[in-house]
Amino acid sequence: MSISQDQGHVIITGSQGVENRGADEVVFEARPGDTLRFFTSSGSNNFEQIAVIEDIRFAEGDEILKDFAQQTFERTGVAPHSNTDVLPARLVQQQFRLSRCLVVCGGTGSYDLVVALYDRNEEAQPRLIGRYRWAIQLTANIQKGENP
């Protein structure tokens, strides 16, 4: 099943040269060997519904990305002080899951993100609803110079 482009948003950030052209098209500047990271979250920030990228597949056009891998990082995050008091906030260790890949060349390629979508059962445990395809077109404009 495919996710309709009006059912989600792609937000791309970068230090420079990123242009979001809608829910399914992104143009960015990069150098061969640069790393791209893909994150996903539901509208409830994965609290009620949970969205997880399971795979990223090349579809057509220029194959500008390679070496896709899933990674989990542990970083310090911010959490409410307690169940009843938000402040003062406290620092906690959190896990962040992402998909990463490398830019190999410039061009325009289409990719399918396979997203597993979960909701919660009566005991608040995650329950798989299904897997969906999110089609995205990426254009990499190659910058001159060497990687730092």
Side-chain angles (χ1 to χ4, degrees):
M1 293 181 274
S2 294
I3 299 173
S4 171
Q5 298 304 329
D6 64 350
Q7 295 296 309
H9 302 281
V10 174
I11 300 170
I12 307 296
T13 60
S15 58
Q16 62 183 15
V18 175
E19 182 181 342
N20 295 288
R21 293 187 175 172
D24 61 348
E25 185 180 359
V26 177
V27 176
F28 61 94
E29 292 182 13
R31 294 183 179 102
D34 280 356
T35 299
L36 290 185
R37 293 182 181 95
F38 294 82
F39 303 84
T40 188
S41 180
S42 68
S44 67
N45 196 27
N46 288 345
F47 181 74
E48 293 173 357
Q49 293 82 29
I50 303 158
V52 177
I53 297 175
E54 286 191 344
D55 195 12
I56 301 173
R57 301 174 183 160
F58 172 71
E60 64 182 4
D62 302 314
E63 198 164 359
I64 60 174
L65 308 175
K66 71 171 189 171
D67 295 341
F68 290 98
Q70 301 289 328
Q71 291 183 309
T72 301
F73 289 95
E74 190 165 290
R75 295 258 171 103
T76 303
V78 178
H81 179 71
S82 69
N83 288 337
T84 56
D85 295 317
V86 175
L87 297 175
R90 60 190 172 96
L91 301 179
V92 297
Q93 288 303 109
Q94 293 179 316
Q95 289 190 341
F96 298 89
R97 181 184 165 116
L98 59 94
S99 298
R100 68 139 186 90
C101 63
L102 297 176
V103 176
V104 280
C105 65
T108 299
S110 294
Y111 290 83
D112 291 336
L113 281 66
V114 178
V115 178
L117 185 60
Y118 297 81
D119 67 0
R120 295 192 182 273
N121 65 18
E122 295 76 25
E123 291 82 38
Q125 295 301 308
R127 173 180 54 202
L128 180 66
I129 297 172
R131 289 176 176 81
Y132 300 87
R133 180 180 62 89
W134 180 274
I136 185 170
Q137 179 177 298
L138 302 172
T139 300
N141 295 322
I142 297 301
Q143 295 177 329
K144 302 287 187 217
E146 296 182 24
N147 282 340

